[in-house]
Amino acid sequence: MVVLLVVATPFSWAADQLPHIVILATGGTIAGSAASNTQTTGYKAGALGIETLLSAVPELKAIARVDGEQISNIGSENMTSDVLLKLSNRVNELLARSDVDGVVITHGTDTLDESPYFLNLTVKSEKPVVFTAAMRPATSMSADGPMNLYNAVLVAADKSSWGRGVMVELNDRIGSARFTTKSNASSLDTFKAVEEGYLGTIVGGKIYFETRVDKIHTTRSVFDVTGLKSLPAVDIIFGYQDDPEYMYDAAIQHKVKGIVYAGMGAGSVSKRSDAGIRKAQAKDIVVVRSSRTGSGVVPPDSNQPGLVSNSLNPAKSRILLMLALTKTDNPEIIQQYFNTY
Ligand code: SIN
């Protein structure tokens, strides 16, 4: 279902000068509804439509001309490659239009390290794409969604946001999709990039950008999902004491094209996983070793099997490996992608 909505402005001549931002809603807690305004757990995520989200922030009409579209209305744990492909294609269509200046995407926080990174690699535009979300449902006292949405539109509408790759805006911070991840299951101040920090902050309605990312994104990315109906299957297998080899047998049986190993420390592989990884590689499955620690680099190590994820966490590694496999199954080229994206 697509809902189109224009936030009315009293002075159309002035509104014509404002940047045109399209908000794509996908669900999450920012669209969550609870039985009371003190209930912040056990509520339904993805319950409210884009019209309700926009009507909570009439202040938007002072900073942008805003249209809203409903892409999905789900908890982000139910986000799938199908929705990601639809989202990326829609963003590319919108940003190709000369009358659209930027896109904001509302999303659940739980997989807000994955979807922004997917778009960071597949959007072909310098125009801003800003994800936002909330930790408290829209019905809660001191809901964080409305201010996050306002700030995300502020960033999307600003010329200084162009060419920075896909961004994630919550809690007055602007993060890069390449690095940012949820770091705390329940706190509002949860989106962080432990090593790299933020691209910038918003203070008093003003944007303060501090840095840019070197990693390849958007217009320089080789990945193009136009016309793609599905993505190659990639599983994540978690490394831990006593981790069993049969996880690899299951992945092989399900004919996955790639496996990301969420290894211990700098991607250390147990004897059992070592055997599983080598078995998978013998079936031409591409395996990438990543780290379950939450930050740091997994360096190449000729004593351990598989490619290495650089500083991508396991969930982001899976996104890159799916896209890499749309282009090649050559391990050297795929390792080069992991070194540079
Ligand atoms: C979700 O990820 O959809 C639910 C949790 C949240 O948005 O905070």
Side-chain angles (χ1 to χ4, degrees):
M1 182 188 56
V2 174
V3 178
L4 263 177
L5 181 125
V6 178
V7 175
T9 53
F11 305 110
S12 54
W13 60 271
D16 283 353
Q17 323 277 310
L18 292 174
H20 179 199
I21 306 300
V22 180
I23 301 181
L24 303 179
T26 69
T29 292
I30 192 165
S33 176
S36 79
N37 68 355
T38 52
Q39 187 186 344
T40 55
T41 59
Y43 53 86
K44 182 169 167 23
L48 308 173
I50 179 70
E51 311 86 344
T52 313
L53 300 195
L54 290 179
S55 63
V57 197
E59 295 79 4
L60 288 175
K61 65 187 172 200
I63 56 170
R65 287 176 293 134
V66 179
D67 291 335
E69 291 182 23
Q70 196 80 47
I71 295 288
S72 61
N73 211 354
I74 54 179
S76 71
E77 71 280 7
N78 289 318
M79 193 57 68
T80 59
S81 310
D82 288 353
V83 184
L84 285 186
L85 289 169
K86 179 176 167 190
L87 187 60
S88 176
N89 284 321
R90 185 64 185 138
V91 171
N92 276 318
E93 272 168 23
L94 287 165
L95 295 182
R97 282 171 33 187
S98 59
D99 67 325
V100 175
D101 299 298
V103 168
V104 166
I105 299 163
T106 60
H107 194 282
T109 61
D110 287 349
T111 61
L112 197 55
D113 50 351
E114 298 182 54
S115 306
Y117 186 49
F118 184 80
L119 267 70
N120 197 47
L121 300 176
T122 58
V123 165
K124 304 290 174 199
S125 178
E126 299 276 304
K127 294 177 186 174
V129 177
V130 186
F131 276 77
T132 194
M135 289 297 286
R136 290 185 181 142
T139 47
S140 100
M141 196 192 296
S142 291
D144 49 334
M147 186 54 124
N148 286 347
L149 181 58
Y150 179 85
N151 280 342
V153 172
L154 200 64
V155 174
D158 199 290
K159 266 280 175 191
S160 66
S161 303
W162 284 48
R164 292 183 185 271
V166 172
M167 291 171 275
V168 177
E169 194 292 322
L170 279 96
N171 216 28
D172 302 338
R173 271 65 168 257
I174 308 162
S176 160
R178 168 61 174 77
F179 302 112
T180 307
T181 191
K182 190 171 184 176
S183 67
N184 184 301
S186 42
S187 149
L188 261 65
D189 191 20
T190 175
F191 279 88
K192 298 201 190 310
V194 173
E195 292 297 321
E196 301 83 7
Y198 297 106
L199 295 177
T201 50
I202 300 167
V203 181
K206 189 168 158 28
I207 300 164
Y208 296 83
F209 275 118
E210 309 293 351
T211 183
R212 285 181 180 272
V213 287
D214 265 358
K215 300 286 184 186
I216 298 172
H217 59 75
T218 56
T219 49
R220 288 174 56 225
S221 165
V222 294
F223 304 115
D224 184 353
V225 294
T226 320
L228 277 190
K229 297 277 174 270
S230 63
L231 293 169
V234 174
D235 281 347
I236 299 175
I237 296 181
F238 203 78
Y240 52 94
Q241 297 174 355
D242 294 328
D243 56 0
E245 193 182 325
Y246 60 68
M247 303 296 267
Y248 299 88
D249 296 332
I252 293 166
Q253 227 172 56
H254 281 85
K255 301 198 180 340
V256 299
K257 299 280 181 250
I259 294 173
V260 172
Y261 174 67
M264 297 156 273
S268 298
V269 178
S270 67
K271 288 198 174 87
R272 299 156 309 275
S273 273
D274 188 285
I277 290 172
R278 291 181 198 277
K279 212 191 289 178
Q281 286 176 316
K283 301 274 181 201
D284 294 327
I285 296 171
V286 179
V287 181
V288 175
R289 287 188 296 113
S290 177
S291 172
R292 69 178 206 185
T293 61
S295 61
V297 168
V298 176
D301 178 348
S302 55
N303 295 317
Q304 310 231 43
L307 308 180
V308 287
S309 69
N310 197 297
S311 58
L312 286 172
N313 72 18
K316 288 183 196 281
S317 297
R318 177 177 166 273
I319 296 286
L320 179 54
L321 186 51
M322 287 193 297
L323 287 169
L325 288 165
T326 64
K327 297 213 61 88
T328 182
D329 53 11
N330 179 322
E332 276 168 32
I333 300 175
I334 295 178
Q335 184 60 67
Q336 199 50 32
Y337 291 150
F338 274 88
N339 297 345
T340 50
Y341 285 75

